[in-house]
Every structure is written in structure tokens, then in C-alpha cells.
Amino acid sequence: MPQLWQGRASKAVDSRVNDFNSSIRFDARMIEQDIRGSMVHSAMLGRQGIISARDVEDIHKGLKGILADLHSGALEIDPAAEDVHTFVEQTLTARVGDAGKRLHTGRSRNDQVALDIRLWMRDESEALQAGIRELIEAICRQAEAGAGYVMPGYTHLQRAQPVTFGHQLMAYAWMLLRDLGRLQDATARMNAECPLGSGALAGTTYPIDRDYTARELGFDAPCANSIDGVSDRDFCIEFVSAVATCMMHLSRLSEEIILWCSWEFKFVELDDAFTTGSSIMPQKKNPDVTELIRGKTGRVYGDLNTLLVMMKGIPLAYDKDMQEDKEAVFDAADTLALCLRTLTPMLDTMRPLPENMRRAAAKGFINATDCADYLTKKGMPFRDAYKCTGTMVAACIAADKTLEELTLEEFKTYSPLFEEDVYHAIDLTTCCEGRTSYGGPAKASVLDQIAKVRAKLAEQ
């Protein structure tokens, strides 16, 4: 296909430059958005009397035919086309004649591509949000079932205090809820201004109606500055930043699952459908899904860095550097979508092993704080209670005992404040259920968190 800009050139462009310059191999995926924008643009041209009603009718009929033929397979995108915009316009012209040549009146590829990428990202954001909602619901289901499963909570990857499996999982539900909000915020700002009508950078002399095109395409208003309209890629950066943050949360959850399903922890068992084996070690059951999510997170970070570096030094308005935005945006969105589609059913089929969780909790002295709190409630200053309990823990470690295994006589050697009720106070279930502060690990609190998260999902 010939280039749309060949009018000034005195000779053909070197084929190597054409290949280097071409974007059809990746921007072809925006063809539906490109056609949607062209339908509205041409309708506006007709409304304003810039082109005839017959031209509008021919253009719309031609564009709908192209889309139908693409869906049916009767038409394939020409890989020799420079970009998706060229392919659509030249295919349209071949089908409807001169009316197709009038489609681009009052428009530049600069504002056209700025529109298309916005429309594509808006559609993709909705799909990603749906995937995040499904993952949150899968987490809530596992958390509901495990709201009473006592396990060690960790700091510095050291056993710290007792929590429940449900409480630990709900931390990720809240993270993902924030990710949902970030994508919604990014999409709202993306929808705030429509670049169509900005032209190459300085608008147009045609009497176009930018309010009409903005409204018909679902934007709040046309962008207020035509230079900003074609040179802005903040919305790409914000979108990929939200995706990268979500990937970071998926990576953290994946790391937990990798640890939990190892023999050293064995808190969960992954379904065979979501693990792989070894070519040489028959006993292996590898959590490849979660390991790949961990690895792909770095890939999305790279996409974000690509956009930031691409934009950091280019002058106004449009520069060809900005063609690099699409591959980074597409890759980030595709990667998150793939991870969500795989992680959600993996979590749904994951089997918790509560006996192993509780056994690890019992051996970790994670009720030491509760023992100190017991003494404090009996009247001992907290710092003294902290030191006393620390001494007891050191002695238990040396004797290969847990606090629960000490006799009452042994407790009393450390403080006469200890009574029979100490065993109830340091029982792991009591330790969890006693943490009734808002947002804590008590079963009622976990169930309340689940209800609140589900209510927020329903609101959105």
C-alpha cells in the first residue's frame, strides 16, 4: 500500500525504512476503535456540511462492511500497510471511491492515533477490572472457608503473631480493591478529554464540532489545547502504572503461595491442573504459574519504564518516538490479563492444610506477645512483662518446649502473677479471637472484611 504522506516525496522510501517505520504489526489490534472513531468523525463532517450526506452514507456502509468482513475472515489486514489507519482508509477508498478519500478531512493521524489508543485502553480497562473482580471474589471464597484456620503471621519472614489464613488472604483482597480503583481513576482521566479535532497539532480551519465527537465517543469534553491533545501520553503512563502496581500485588501473593506449597511450609496444596512436574525428578510438583507471574511482573515494570523514558525528553508536539507507546501498553495489558485468567482458577482449586498451619503456629512462639499482654493486664509494666516473656521463650527454646507445654509451677518461677487462666490466654485460637480491634484477625473481623469487600465490589 502507498503511504498517505507521499505527496511531497521525490522518490520512493527505502524498503528498510518502510519496515522500520511500520506499525501495522501491532496497531492492527486497534482496528475496531479506529473504525468507531472514523464513523463518528465522518458523521460530524456530514452534520457540519463539510462533506455530503451521501458521502457519510457511503463511508459508514463501507466501514461497517470492512468490520464485518474482518470478523468473518473474508478480509485480512495487509501486513504491507504502514499502519492500521492507512489500511482502513485505503481499503475504504477501494470499496466506496472518492467518499473514502474525504474521510480524513479535518483530521490528522496524530489526533486519530491519540483517540484510538484511548478507546482501546478504555475497552481493555473494563476487561481488566472484570478480571480483578473475579480474582477478589476467589480470594474472598478461600478467606471465608479459612477464616478460622490459625497460622503464623510473619515479619522479616520470621514467625511473629498468630493470624488466620482468611485474614492473610484478605490483605490481598484489599490490595486488589485499590488496584481496581486505580484503573477506574486512570480510565476516568482518560475519558476526561477527547483529542479528536486537534489535528496534527494546531486544529483545523474546517468548522468541526468537537463537542459532538467527544460526546458521541463517550468523552466528557474535547481536550482544551490541541498541542496537548496530540502530545499527551500521561494516560498511557497512568494506565500502565496501575497495571504494574497490580502485577506487584500478584507477585507478592505468588511468592506467598510458592512458600506455602513448599515442603518447608506445606500450608496449601495446589491442584495438579495448575502445577508442572520435573523431567528428571518424579516427586516434583512445581508452582510454575506463580513463578511465571513473579517473572512477568518485571516485564510490566519494563513497559512502564519504556513509556517514562520515551516521554521524558521529547519536545512538543508529536514525535515518532511516541509510536513506541502502543507495544508497551498492549504488552502490559496482555500480561496482566493472562495472569488474572490463570491465577483465579488456581486459587479457587487450591486446598488449604489447616493442621500444618496450626502446627507451625504452635512452634513459633507467636503467642509470646499475648503472654506479655497477660502479665500486663495482671499489673506488670509492659516492658517488664516483655523482658520476662523473652526470658521464658529463650528457656523454652533451650528445652525444646513451647509456652503451652510449661507447667503452672514453671510459669510461676518467672512471675507469681501467672495463674491457671494463662493457658486460655496463650491458646492460639484465643490469641486470634482476642484481637478484636478493627481490621484484626478474629474470625468475625475476617467475615466482616469479606462482607465489606463484596459490598464495595457491588458498588463498583
Side-chain angles (χ1 to χ4, degrees), residues 109-119 195-196 219 229-233 235:
R109 280 193 301 178
N110 292 357
D111 60 343
Q112 189 176 358
V113 70
L115 171 68
D116 289 1
I117 188 67
R118 276 179 169 87
L119 293 177
L196 189 59
F219 291 89
V230 297
S231 64
D232 169 38
R233 291 299 183 272
F235 60 95

Side-chain angles (χ1 to χ4, degrees), residues 306-356:
T306 292
L307 293 171
L308 289 166
V309 175
M310 177 190 80
M311 294 300 296
K312 75 176 183 62
I314 55 177
L316 296 173
Y318 180 84
D319 299 275
K320 194 66 171 182
D321 315 45
M322 294 163 70
Q323 182 171 287
E324 293 295 301
D325 61 351
K326 285 170 282 300
E327 286 186 281
V329 168
F330 295 160
D331 183 68
D334 289 349
T335 302
L336 177 56
L338 177 62
C339 291
L340 290 169
R341 283 199 306 271
T342 314
L343 183 59
T344 300
M346 193 201 76
L347 273 178
D348 257 335
T349 56
M350 182 177 71
R351 184 168 65 93
L353 302 172
E355 299 84 2
N356 293 345

Side-chain angles (χ1 to χ4, degrees), residues 187-239:
T187 304
R189 270 183 288 281
M190 196 188 306
N191 280 342
E193 295 186 320
C194 178
L196 189 59
S198 297
L201 78 160
T204 179
T205 57
Y206 292 99
I208 61 174
D209 185 349
R210 295 193 63 202
D211 288 307
Y212 171 82
T213 51
R215 183 172 62 252
E216 290 299 302
L217 288 165
F219 291 89
D220 297 339
C223 61
N225 182 289
S226 61
I227 294 177
D228 185 47
V230 297
S231 64
D232 169 38
R233 291 299 183 272
D234 292 358
F235 60 95
C236 293
I237 293 168
E238 187 173 10
F239 174 80

Side-chain angles (χ1 to χ4, degrees), residues 44-85:
M44 179 275 296
L45 294 177
R47 280 169 53 95
Q48 296 299 103
I50 300 170
I51 64 175
S52 69
R54 177 61 185 271
D55 282 340
V56 176
E57 183 180 344
D58 289 345
I59 288 169
H60 283 201
K61 182 179 178 181
L63 290 173
K64 290 175 182 176
I66 290 171
L67 196 56
D69 288 348
L70 284 168
H71 287 162
S72 70
L75 175 66
E76 293 184 358
I77 295 174
D78 183 0
E82 182 179 2
D83 53 41
V84 68
H85 326 295

Side-chain angles (χ1 to χ4, degrees), residues 364-369 371 386-403 406 414:
F365 296 99
I366 59 176
N367 50 4
T369 302
C371 185
Y386 173 92
K387 184 176 180 180
C388 177
T389 305
T391 303
M392 293 166 62
V393 168
C396 284
I397 292 171
D400 193 24
K401 285 185 173 183
T402 66
L403 287 173
L406 292 176
Y414 293 99

